Amino acid sequence: MPELDAQGVLSQMASASLTLRDAISKALPVSPTQVMTVQIPGLTLDPKDYVWDQDKTTYKPLAVRENESRLVDSMVPVAKLMMGRTGKSVARSYLAALDTLIPVEASVSGTIALNKDKKLPPRFETIRNRYTSAMKYLTSNDEASGKSKLTVYVTKQDAWNKAIEQYAAAQQRQQGIISREGLTPAEQRDKYLEWLQAYARDYKAMIQARYMDWVVHGYKFEVEFNFGVVDVSSGMKRIESSKEAIRNLTIIGIDGASEYVTVNLSPPGWATDVATKYNTWASRNQGPSIMDLRAEIKRLGKLLISHQALIEAMDDDQGFMPVVASGGGHAADDVYRDKMKALYLAQDQVNKEVMSEEPSAANAKAGSDGRANADRAAAEALEAAKKWNEANLESNKVANRVTDKAMRETIRKQLGLKIAEIQQEITQINDQLKRKLEATDGAHGGMPAVLDEETKTIAPGQLKIDPELNAPPAQKPSPWTRISAKISRSQATSATVSKTSASSFAAQVSTGLWSVSGGASHSSSSTESATDMSSLDVEISMDCMLVEIQRPWLHAELFSDPELDVADGFDLSPGPEKLQADVANHRPIDDKYEQFCSYPSAFVVAADVELEFTGNTSHLESKLEASRTEANLKVGYGPFSFGGSHSQSRNSAKTSAEATATGMRISLQAPQIIAWVSELLPALPRKNGASKMAGLLLEPPSASAVVAKPAAATVNGAK
C-alpha cells in the first residue's frame, strides 16, 4: 500500500481509538492529574492466568501474583494512544526516581540533634523550643509517685490493656465450656447470651475504671500531645522506608530466578468477573459461528469444483488418467534381483580381503578373482536392468490398454461418491446456517425481540442480544459499565493526526483490518480490508471495568513532600498542566521527563464487545472468513483484535459474526485491556524551591570566614 494510503488508514485508526477514548472518559472520568491512554492493539487476557479460589486458598498463589505483577509493571507513555508496550519497568523507574530526591532543607530532627546551643533562623528556633519543652514535660516527675510522667502513662496503659485481655479470655473460656455440653447451635447462642447478661457488665466496668484512671492520673492526653511533638521524621527517612518496602514485597518467580514486586488489583475478584464474561459469551455462542459455517461452505465448494474438474479432465480426448495402473510381476524382475545379489556377494569378498592384515598369495589371487567377478556381475546387472526396464515398460503398456476402461469406470465411480458426499455436507451446513440465522434473528437486522404477552417467554434471539433478561438477580453491584461509541465516515475523514504520531503509527502498526505500515509489505486481504473499513460507519458497544492498581511499596506522596526536591541536574516532571497540554495537542513529552513523570494507576478491561458495521460489508465478511484459514491475516478495528489469528495469549477465544439489515455485527469473546490510566507527578524540580539546605543549620559564614576557610560546611553530606 502506498505511504499516503497508509497514512489515511492510520488516521482512521486514530480517529476510532480517540472516539472510543472520549466515550470511556465520559463514563469513567479521570482527574486533572491523570491521563488515559488507549492501547493499540488491546492486550488480550486469558482469565485462567489471574483467577484463584478465595474460598479454598487463604493466600493468593505465587503464579497469580507473578502474572499480575508482570501485567501492570510496564510503563505507559503520556499520550492518548500507544502502540504496544514500552518495555520500561514501573518498579525500576520508581527506584531510579527516588535516587534523584534530596531534602530541600535540613530536617527538623537534624536541626534539634545537631544544634542544641547554636543560633538558628527564627522558624527553626521555634521548632527547637517546642521540642525542648515537650521533652522537658515527658521527663518531668509525677508528684505522687516520683516517677516520670511517661512512666506513669505506660503503667496506666498496661493496666487498661490487661483489663481488656481478661474480658476477652473470659469470653473465649465460656464459649469453650458451652461447646462441650452437646447443645444445638441455637441453645449454645442462648446460653452464651445469658452469660453476657450476668457477667459482661462487670468486665466492662473494670475496663472503664482502668481507662478513667489512665486519663486522670496517667496524663494520657498530655503525654500523647507532647510525644507527637518529639516524634519527628525526615524526608530521607521516608525515602528509605519506601525502598525497604520494595525489598520486603519482592517475590521470586516460579522459575526460581526472576524477581517481581507485589501489586494488589482492585476489585479483588476482577479476574473472576472477567472469566464470567468469557464463559457467558461462550454459552451464548455454542457451536460454530455464522462466519465459521460460511467459511466451511466455501471450502467445501472449492473441493467440489476440483472433483468435478477431475472428472471432466478424464472425459477429454487427451487420455488423462489420475492414477496409472501398474503391471504385475515379471521374469525380468527375478533376473535383475539375482544379478544384484551376485554383485553384493562378490563385493563382500573383496572387502574381506582388503581388511585382512597379511593376505596370502592365494588370498591375493582370490581377491583379484573377486574383483573380476564383481566387475563382471556389475556389467551383467546393468544389462539385466536395461532388459527389465524394457520389459516393464512394455508390460505397463499392455496392462494400461487392458485395464484402461475398467479403471476409468472405477475412478469415476469413486469420484462420484465423493462429490455426492461433499454435496450432502454442504446441504447439512446450509441447513445449520439457516437455523443459526433464525436463532440470532439475523433476517431482521438483529433487532431486540420482545416478551410474548401470553406465554411470557423470550423470543428467539432475545437471549443472545440481551442475556441479562434471563439472568438471576444480581447479588452485588456489577463492576461493569456499558459504553457505546459511534464512528462515522465523515468523522474519520475530518480526523487529524500530528506528523509525529502518524510516523509512530507507520513505524509500528501491523495489526488490524488496517494491517498496514509505510515500509512493510502485507497480504492483499489486509490491504483490501483497510480500504473497505474507511467506507463504513461503526457502532461499538462494550462492557468496561476499571481495575485499580495498588502498589503498597510506591509512596507517591514523596513526590509532593514539601521537604523533598530533585537534585540539581535532574528533571522528573514538568507538572500535570504541561503534560496535559502536550497530550491534548499530540506533542511528544520532552526526553528529559521520560524517566518517571507518570505511572500507571489503573487499566480498563473491555468485554462483550460488539462492533456493528453499516454499509457494504461484503468484502469485510469475506476477509473475516478468510482469516479462519490464513494464518498471517490479522484483523482488527481500533484497539480490538479479532479474526482467525487475533489471539495474543494461549487461550482459544472466538469471534462471532452475523449479517444485519444494514451491514454486519461482530461479537468478541476475548476480554481485552484497551486503555490505561496514568497518574501524573507534580512539577519536579519545584518552582521557586528553597535554597537546598544551604546555610540553614549553621550561621551564615562571614566574608573573612569564607577567605580563611574556602571549603563550605556540609550537613548530612550535602553542601
Side-chain angles (χ1 to χ4, degrees), residues 357-371:
E357 296 182 357
E358 297 180 356
S360 62
N363 288 339
K365 182 177 183 304
S368 176
D369 294 343
R371 284 190 292 273

Side-chain angles (χ1 to χ4, degrees), residues 140 177 220 242 254-255 264 359 379 477 502 533:
S140 62
I177 294 173
K220 181 179 187 302
S242 180
I254 55 177
D255 59 2
N264 298 321
M533 296 299 295

Side-chain angles (χ1 to χ4, degrees), residues 63-186:
V64 175
R65 297 171 65 190
E66 178 181 334
N67 291 335
E68 290 185 345
S69 177
R70 295 172 57 186
L71 178 67
V72 301
D73 192 45
S74 181
M75 291 288 290
V76 175
V78 183
K80 291 184 177 180
L81 305 176
M82 63 179 284
M83 306 296 297
R85 312 299 288 271
T86 63
K88 297 180 180 179
S89 167
V90 175
R92 290 190 292 270
S93 300
Y94 172 66
L95 282 174
L98 288 184
D99 289 339
T100 67
L101 296 179
I102 63 171
V104 172
E105 54 191 20
S107 66
V108 175
S109 59
T111 302
I112 298 167
L114 301 177
N115 300 276
K116 295 181 179 180
D117 301 320
K118 296 290 184 179
K119 182 178 180 181
L120 299 175
R123 70 190 186 97
F124 281 92
E125 191 75 39
T126 302
I127 293 174
R128 186 172 63 181
N129 292 338
R130 289 183 59 199
Y131 178 86
T132 303
S133 299
M135 285 295 295
K136 183 178 180 180
Y137 178 84
L138 293 174
T139 56
S140 62
N141 292 334
D142 173 43
E143 296 179 357
S145 63
K147 300 178 181 179
S148 68
K149 291 184 172 64
L150 182 58
T151 302
V152 175
Y153 173 93
V154 173
T155 302
K156 302 299 183 182
Q157 183 187 43
D158 183 61
W160 175 70
N161 284 332
K162 288 181 178 179
I164 295 177
E165 291 174 0
Q166 290 175 3
Y167 182 36
Q171 288 178 295
Q172 186 175 5
R173 184 171 56 255
Q174 185 62 27
Q175 289 175 354
I177 294 173
I178 295 175
S179 64
R180 292 190 293 269
E181 294 180 356
L183 303 177
T184 64

Side-chain angles (χ1 to χ4, degrees), residues 13-330:
M13 187 182 202
S15 173
S17 300
L18 292 176
T19 301
L20 196 63
R21 177 182 182 271
D22 294 339
I24 297 174
S25 298
K26 292 178 180 178
L28 306 171
V30 296
S31 71
T33 61
Q34 296 175 326
V35 64
M36 179 178 290
T37 304
V38 174
Q39 180 174 351
I40 305 174
L43 182 62
T44 304
L45 293 174
D46 187 347
K48 296 190 297 295
D49 291 338
Y50 310 98
V51 173
W52 61 289
D53 194 338
Q54 301 182 39
D55 295 330
K56 296 182 179 179
T57 307
T58 304
Y59 299 103
K60 189 181 300 183
L62 177 60
V64 175
R65 297 171 65 190
E66 178 181 334
N67 291 335
E68 290 185 345
S69 177
R70 295 172 57 186
L71 178 67
V72 301
D73 192 45
S74 181
M75 291 288 290
V76 175
V78 183
K80 291 184 177 180
L81 305 176
M82 63 179 284
M83 306 296 297
R85 312 299 288 271
T86 63
K88 297 180 180 179
S89 167
V90 175
R92 290 190 292 270
S93 300
Y94 172 66
L95 282 174
L98 288 184
D99 289 339
T100 67
L101 296 179
I102 63 171
V104 172
E105 54 191 20
S107 66
V108 175
S109 59
T111 302
I112 298 167
L114 301 177
N115 300 276
K116 295 181 179 180
D117 301 320
K118 296 290 184 179
K119 182 178 180 181
L120 299 175
R123 70 190 186 97
F124 281 92
E125 191 75 39
T126 302
I127 293 174
R128 186 172 63 181
N129 292 338
R130 289 183 59 199
Y131 178 86
T132 303
S133 299
M135 285 295 295
K136 183 178 180 180
Y137 178 84
L138 293 174
T139 56
S140 62
N141 292 334
D142 173 43
E143 296 179 357
S145 63
K147 300 178 181 179
S148 68
K149 291 184 172 64
L150 182 58
T151 302
V152 175
Y153 173 93
V154 173
T155 302
K156 302 299 183 182
Q157 183 187 43
D158 183 61
W160 175 70
N161 284 332
K162 288 181 178 179
I164 295 177
E165 291 174 0
Q166 290 175 3
Y167 182 36
Q171 288 178 295
Q172 186 175 5
R173 184 171 56 255
Q174 185 62 27
Q175 289 175 354
I177 294 173
I178 295 175
S179 64
R180 292 190 293 269
E181 294 180 356
L183 303 177
T184 64
E187 293 172 340
Q188 292 181 22
R189 183 172 56 254
D190 293 339
K191 193 165 185 178
Y192 178 68
L193 290 175
E194 292 177 2
W195 181 88
L196 287 178
Q197 290 290 336
Y199 300 102
R201 186 177 293 103
D202 296 337
Y203 282 103
K204 290 183 178 180
M206 181 175 59
I207 294 173
Q208 179 65 16
R210 295 291 184 267
Y211 183 79
M212 293 173 62
D213 183 47
W214 183 18
V215 171
V216 176
H217 301 104
Y219 308 99
K220 181 179 187 302
F221 299 114
E222 296 88 340
V223 169
E224 290 175 354
F225 173 81
N226 285 279
F227 183 76
V229 176
V230 172
D231 186 24
V232 294
S233 63
S234 66
M236 292 306 296
K237 180 181 178 182
R238 292 189 286 274
I239 291 176
E240 290 304 316
S241 297
S242 180
K243 293 181 179 180
E244 182 66 22
I246 293 181
R247 290 190 288 269
N248 292 336
L249 294 173
T250 297
I251 59 175
I252 305 299
I254 55 177
D255 59 2
S258 305
E259 292 186 348
Y260 304 95
V261 186
T262 300
V263 298
N264 298 321
L265 303 183
S266 181
W270 73 276
T272 302
D273 294 329
V274 171
T276 301
K277 285 285 185 181
Y278 184 93
N279 296 329
T280 302
W281 189 98
S283 65
R284 296 199 312 266
N285 296 271
Q286 292 180 352
S289 66
I290 293 176
M291 187 165 55
D292 293 331
L293 295 175
R294 287 174 173 167
E296 182 64 11
I297 290 173
K298 288 187 177 182
R299 187 190 69 82
L300 292 174
K302 293 178 181 179
L303 187 61
L304 177 63
I305 292 173
S306 69
H307 282 69
Q308 292 171 340
L310 185 59
I311 289 182
E312 293 175 0
M314 291 177 60
D315 293 338
D316 288 344
D317 296 333
Q318 303 296 326
F320 168 75
M321 281 288 288
V323 178
V324 179
S326 61
H330 302 283

